[in-house]
Amino acid sequence: PPPPHTHTLTHSSAASDVYKRQALHRDVRLTEIELGPLDEAQTATLAANVAGEALDGAVARRLHRETEGNPLFVVETLRAGLPVPREDPGVEESPLPPRVQAVLETRLAQLSPPARDLAGLAATVGRAFSFPVLRAAGNGDEDALVLGLDELWQRRIVRVRAANAYDFSHDKLREVAYGTLGPVRRQLLHRRVAQALETVHAPELDIVARRVAVHYDRAGQAEQAIPRYLQAGEAAARIYAREQAVASFKRGLVLLERGPWVAARQDWYREMMAELYEGLGDALQFSQPEEARLAYQNAAQEVAQDDSFKQAQLQRKLSVTWYRQGAYEESLKVCDQAEGLLGTEPVEPAAYWWREWLVLQRHRFENVYALARWRVIVHLSVRLLPVVEQYGTAADRGW
């Protein structure tokens, strides 16, 4: 048992005032018990005791994900109504139970005004955030930023994760802090965060392109968001994260189609539309060839008809969608169209033209091989060999 006149508190207790706690520690009158969050099994056990019956596995998993194992949040979430498993990650979260909302609002209300403002900025960045991004997105007063972060840390609003890296101690705290911002201020902060991410991560912008795009999107700045969605989609496609790539390309297209765009931006509009549709086609080529074909057709409509090289590339990609469906004859017809657009004489830069010609012929080879046209295969091999030797890559020569 604790010594006489000693107070025993938990970190979830309302008596968490930092300065009182420090005084009690100094007088050796306080014993603190650090309570970690419940794990998934413990959350399910608590939930079953509160609900009077065992929860479905999917519901129990979502309950743990939503509450992060905080016992108060588990109990109050159950009282407010069981969470429903979500298949669509874009669906909005359920409203916080009133008591949880009140507890978190009270914790934030105890902060000094500068610390509350900083919590709102950090919440705009996301669950995790870094000192350099906050500094770039803030008002430039580094001393005030350090004091504010220190207060948020002492009040257990945020945690230190690594050097200059932090996160909110609970995502619901972030939700409430973000919810205190008015719509106009949210847009302002999202714009500042987007610009800060671009500045801090300039050498490796591909890594944060999706985040930058989302912040510009929420700031209502579509013209800045669209190129970042394109960049994010291309970056995701390079690492075969096709679902992420498709989501980025589609969101960029939605923003483009909303318009309207002034006449001076029409060329930019068509360029972005063509690149987003082409990227979407590339990402869907293996899994959904029909949708990919439609995307390539839409891209071709946005490319100038006299740009025969780009039109040839799109026709070649269109041919691939037929090949993926086993329609080899149709694929070869489109190959012929692509070769007609490409022409018989190289255009500058010649190496780039020959590279496209090689890719097209390799694709033609795949079709005739599938059709077992052996004489055509021999003829095509003889035709390809000198070009591969001069312009091909090591992979081409191995093929």
Side-chain angles (χ1 to χ4, degrees):
H5 311 299
T6 299
H7 301 272
T8 302
L9 303 175
T10 69
H11 283 155
S12 59
S13 169
S16 61
D17 182 274
V18 175
Y19 305 108
K20 290 181 180 179
R21 192 167 65 241
Q22 289 175 341
L24 290 170
H25 270 300
R26 185 177 61 249
D27 297 338
V28 197
R29 298 175 59 200
L30 172 66
T31 297
E32 291 190 84
I33 301 174
E34 184 77 41
L35 297 181
L38 304 179
D39 61 25
E40 191 172 304
Q42 293 167 335
T43 299
T45 300
L46 174 58
N49 288 333
V50 174
E53 60 180 350
L55 270 61
D56 174 79
V59 174
R61 284 191 293 275
R62 186 190 171 193
L63 179 64
H64 181 259
R65 186 170 64 249
E66 293 277 326
T67 63
E68 299 181 21
N70 183 298
L72 172 64
F73 294 179
V74 172
V75 172
E76 293 302 321
T77 299
L78 288 166
R79 287 175 178 172
L82 290 175
V84 179
R86 294 177 302 156
E87 299 298 331
D88 181 3
V91 174
E92 292 292 328
E93 298 286 351
S94 304
L96 286 173
R99 189 177 176 194
V100 173
Q101 180 84 23
V103 167
L104 297 181
E105 286 178 349
T106 299
R107 288 188 64 185
L108 292 171
Q110 292 171 349
L111 299 170
S112 66
R116 277 201 303 274
D117 289 343
L118 182 58
L121 174 59
T124 304
V125 177
R127 174 72 184 266
F129 54 93
S130 69
F131 184 88
V133 170
L134 286 186
R135 179 174 55 196
N139 58 16
D141 189 338
E142 189 166 301
D143 289 340
L145 175 58
V146 170
L147 287 173
L149 271 176
D150 192 55
E151 182 178 346
L152 293 177
W153 172 74
Q154 289 188 31
R155 295 282 187 166
R156 302 182 188 275
I157 304 296
V158 303
R159 301 173 293 193
V160 179
R161 282 305 185 193
N164 290 325
Y166 303 82
D167 71 359
F168 280 85
S169 58
H170 199 290
D171 196 49
K172 299 306 180 187
L173 266 170
R174 184 202 62 79
E175 286 184 29
V176 173
Y178 185 73
T180 62
L181 303 172
V184 176
R185 181 156 181 76
R186 282 185 188 181
Q187 285 194 329
L188 172 65
L189 292 183
H190 278 298
R191 175 175 61 79
R192 288 181 177 175
V193 170
Q195 293 169 340
L197 287 168
E198 287 179 319
T199 300
V200 172
H201 297 279
E204 47 182 11
L205 202 51
D206 279 358
I207 297 174
V208 295
R210 172 76 186 186
R211 292 173 59 196
V212 173
V214 170
H215 283 295
Y216 274 132
D217 195 347
R218 292 178 179 174
Q221 296 195 310
E223 194 166 342
Q224 286 73 34
I226 291 165
R228 292 303 180 212
Y229 276 123
L230 174 62
Q231 182 179 6
E234 292 172 341
R238 281 195 292 274
I239 60 172
Y240 303 100
R242 292 194 175 93
E243 288 186 6
Q244 295 177 29
V246 168
S248 292
F249 291 133
K250 285 187 173 180
R251 182 58 187 170
L253 288 166
V254 166
L255 294 181
L256 265 179
E257 290 164 358
R258 283 181 180 174
W261 302 97
V262 297
R265 301 298 287 159
Q266 287 302 306
D267 288 344
W268 175 85
Y269 165 86
R270 297 193 67 179
E271 179 186 349
M272 286 292 104
M273 188 71 79
E275 291 190 39
L276 285 164
Y277 269 125
E278 184 178 4
L280 180 60
D282 292 346
L284 294 172
Q285 194 180 90
F286 291 91
S287 58
Q288 296 167 276
E290 290 185 3
E291 287 191 37
R293 187 155 55 245
L294 179 60
Y296 289 138
Q297 289 168 344
N298 287 333
Q301 290 177 1
E302 302 299 335
V303 174
Q305 293 304 306
D306 59 357
D307 188 350
S308 57
F309 185 85
K310 190 62 190 179
Q311 290 288 355
Q313 280 188 320
L314 291 170
Q315 286 298 309
R316 185 252 303 165
K317 291 183 176 185
L318 197 64
S319 173
V320 173
T321 66
W322 290 112
Y323 173 80
R324 297 294 174 199
Q325 293 182 295
Y328 306 122
E329 295 287 4
E330 187 63 33
S331 181
L332 283 171
K333 288 179 184 177
V334 183
C335 274
D336 291 340
Q337 295 170 12
E339 192 162 1
L341 287 164
L342 195 59
T344 57
E345 294 297 327
V347 294
E348 292 300 330
Y352 193 61
W353 185 93
W354 278 113
R355 182 66 198 151
E356 177 59 27
W357 186 88
L358 264 179
V359 174
L360 175 59
Q361 301 310 323
R362 282 186 58 171
H363 177 54
R364 183 187 294 280
F365 189 100
E366 290 171 337
N367 280 282
V368 295
Y369 184 86
L371 292 167
R373 294 180 179 171
W374 308 115
R375 290 184 179 179
V376 178
I377 289 173
V378 172
H379 173 75
L380 192 55
S381 298
V382 171
R383 188 184 179 197
L384 281 169
L385 187 59
V387 180
V388 169
E389 289 297 325
Q390 185 170 358
Y391 296 102
T393 64
D396 292 326
R397 295 185 182 93
W399 178 79

